[in-house]
Amino acid sequence: MPAVENRMRRANHFKLGTFSTNCSGGMSVTKIPERWDASWDGNLALSKMLDDAGIDFMLPIARWIGYGGETNFHGHVLETMTWAAGLLASTKRISVISTIHTACNHPVVVAKQIATIDAIGQGRAGLNIVAGWNKPEYEALGLTLPDDHETRYAYAQEWFDIIQQLWSKSGAFDITTEHFNLKCIEAEPKPVNGRPPILNAAGSGLGREFATRNADFLFTSVIDFDRSREEIAELKGQASAQGRDVDVLTFSHVVCRPTEQEAQDYLQHFAQDNADWVAVDNLVRLQFAHAQSFPHDLLALIRDRFAMGHGGIPLIGTPEQVADGLCQLHELGLGGTTLSFVDYGKEFPYFRDNVLPILEARGIRQPG
C-alpha cells in the first residue's frame, strides 16, 4: 500500500490532537459520572470522529497504576502500543502516537513495534519518549527510579540511539554501550517514511537538551504567557544551534458552550465542586517530587489546573473565546496543542462544528 500523509509533518498548520483518551478520567480529575471512561469502544468511536474532522493526532499517556482517591484517576488504562495499532487500523488520516517508557521497554522490541504499527497506518505512527519520573510506577514494576536526571537521560539517549540505528541500518550489527550489549541485531521492516515523528515532554535543563537533540516535537506547559513566550523562543534557539528544527507543543483543556456563563458553571461543577482532591494532590505531589514539567512557584494555580485538565491551559467559554485562546497559543510561537474534554465523545462535536471553522477562517489551520 502507498504511504499517506503523516499530519504531524504538515507545515504552516497549527496542529490539534487529543490527549489521554486511553486513560480513565482523561485529563480531568473529577468525580462526576459523565467523566471519560477510556473504554475501547469509546476510543474507537472517537478516533473515527476525529479522523473525519481533520484532527491531526491522538496522544496517549502510559500509566501502570492509578492516582488513588475516590475515582482512582488513571486506574483503567489501555496500553499505548496496542491501542495505537488498533486505532491506526481503523482510521485513514489521523496520526496516532505511542507513548513509551524507556525503562520498561527494550529498544529492539520498540523499534520493531513502531515499524509494525507504522505499516498498519501507512506512515501515520509516532513515538512519544518518556525517560521516567513516576517513582511509584517504577516500584510497582520492580524498577528503581534514578534520583538524578543525568542517569535517566543518559539511559534514554542510549535507548533511542539504538532505535534510530535499527531504523536506518540494513543487515545485522552489534551495539555495546554502558547499558546494552546487543549481538547481531537487525530490524526489518523499517518505518514507512523513515523516522516517524518523535515527541518528548521535558521541563528540566537536561530534559530539554535531550528533547532538542532528539525530538521533532517538544511538549511544555503554558502557565504564564510572558514566561512561555521566552521559553518557546529559547527552546527553538537551542534546537537551531544544533542544526535542528523542533516544534513546541502544549496541552489544553476545553470547556466550550454557547455562553461563557454555561462554560464557567460547568468548570465550577466538575473541577471544583466535584474534583477528586485526594487524587489531585497525589498527582501534584508526584509531579513536583520527581519531574520538572511545571514551575514550582505557581503551585496554587497549578493545583486547580490539575483538577481541571492535568495542568493544561484552560480554554473556557464560547466558541469565539475558545478560538481566541487557541490563536493566542499560536501567537506565542507554539506549533499546536492537545485538547482534552471531560467527555471527549459528547463534547468534541460542538468544538468541531463551532471552533474549527473559526480557526480555518483565521488562517492558522488548513482545511481538510
Side-chain angles (χ1 to χ4, degrees):
M1 290 185 178
V4 299
E5 175 193 33
N6 191 311
R7 294 182 66 94
M8 298 299 289
R9 303 291 192 196
R10 182 174 281 201
N12 302 314
H13 176 77
F14 189 75
K15 296 170 182 64
L16 297 176
T18 54
F19 200 4
S20 192
T21 67
N22 67 310
C23 299
S24 57
M27 296 285 277
S28 298
V29 195
T30 182
K31 297 183 289 186
I32 63 173
E34 66 265 33
R35 66 186 183 273
W36 184 246
D37 67 1
S39 69
W40 170 248
D41 287 345
N43 273 269
L44 183 60
L46 178 66
S47 72
K48 293 179 178 180
M49 194 186 309
L50 298 171
D51 198 33
D52 290 341
I55 294 299
D56 303 297
F57 64 97
M58 296 180 73
L59 175 67
I61 290 179
R63 283 275 71 84
W64 307 105
I65 58 175
Y67 290 103
E70 183 177 324
T71 63
N72 193 24
F73 179 66
H74 285 188
H76 168 102
V77 177
L78 302 177
E79 188 279 323
T80 67
M81 191 72 77
T82 45
W83 171 89
L87 296 183
L88 285 165
S90 305
T91 53
K92 297 177 181 178
R93 299 189 299 167
I94 195 168
S95 178
V96 185
I97 315 300
S98 185
T99 298
I100 295 296
H101 291 142
T102 59
C104 308
N105 300 271
H106 196 283
V108 177
V109 177
V110 172
K112 177 76 74 175
Q113 289 174 319
I114 292 291
T116 300
I117 68 170
D118 202 43
I120 292 170
Q122 299 173 259
R124 294 183 288 121
L127 171 62
N128 180 33
I129 300 172
V130 180
W133 63 271
N134 192 325
K135 189 173 183 178
E137 287 197 329
Y138 271 64
E139 293 171 346
L141 298 173
L143 302 171
T144 299
L145 175 68
D147 290 329
D148 62 292
H149 281 62
E150 289 84 357
T151 302
R152 299 183 212 175
Y153 282 106
Y155 181 89
Q157 189 63 64
E158 290 182 16
W159 184 92
F160 187 52
D161 287 344
I162 291 167
I163 288 175
Q164 292 197 98
Q165 290 184 64
L166 287 164
W167 284 343
S168 60
K169 288 186 176 182
S170 298
F173 57 96
D174 300 341
I175 297 179
T176 300
T177 69
E178 181 181 351
H179 298 98
F180 297 95
N181 184 21
L182 311 178
K183 302 295 184 183
C184 203
I185 58 171
E186 56 185 336
E188 294 293 343
K190 310 296 186 194
V192 173
N193 293 315
R195 194 180 95 156
I198 304 299
L199 288 71
N200 181 242
S204 69
L206 284 172
R208 290 182 171 187
E209 287 178 16
F210 177 87
T212 54
R213 186 168 59 246
N214 297 288
D216 303 299
F217 299 92
L218 190 161
F219 267 94
T220 188
S221 59
V222 172
I223 305 295
D224 175 87
F225 275 32
D226 289 335
R227 181 189 305 203
S228 292
R229 183 176 286 105
E230 294 177 4
E231 287 180 351
I232 293 163
E234 288 172 2
L235 289 167
K236 290 186 174 183
Q238 188 173 340
S240 180
Q242 302 176 70
R244 305 195 68 250
D245 183 15
V246 174
D247 219 346
V248 182
L249 308 176
T250 194
F251 52 106
S252 310
H253 187 84
V254 177
V255 181
C256 189
R257 299 291 188 271
T259 68
E260 181 179 5
Q261 190 61 54
E262 287 177 273
Q264 292 292 345
D265 288 348
Y266 190 63
L267 177 65
Q268 177 71 31
H269 172 63
F270 81 84
Q272 290 293 320
D273 299 342
N274 290 285
D276 188 344
W277 289 113
V278 173
V280 170
D281 289 336
N282 288 338
L283 176 55
V284 171
R285 184 175 62 254
L286 282 169
Q287 284 276 348
F288 277 70
H290 303 295
Q292 297 181 27
S293 301
F294 297 90
H296 288 212
D297 57 325
L298 298 175
L299 177 57
L301 171 63
I302 287 169
R303 184 173 183 263
D304 284 345
R305 288 195 181 177
F306 265 88
M308 175 201 69
H310 212 301
I313 193 78
L315 298 173
I316 314 298
T318 65
E320 194 79 21
Q321 288 172 315
V322 171
D324 288 345
L326 289 164
C327 288
Q328 280 186 291
L329 296 178
H330 178 260
E331 290 165 5
L332 287 179
L334 290 162
T337 184
T338 63
L339 307 168
S340 58
F341 305 84
V342 172
D343 185 331
Y344 297 81
K346 290 183 179 178
E347 294 182 63
F348 174 73
Y350 187 75
F351 177 91
R352 174 197 62 201
D353 296 342
N354 295 280
V355 179
L356 289 181
I358 298 174
L359 301 179
E360 291 179 11
R362 295 184 185 181
I364 73 168
R365 281 182 59 81
Q366 300 171 26

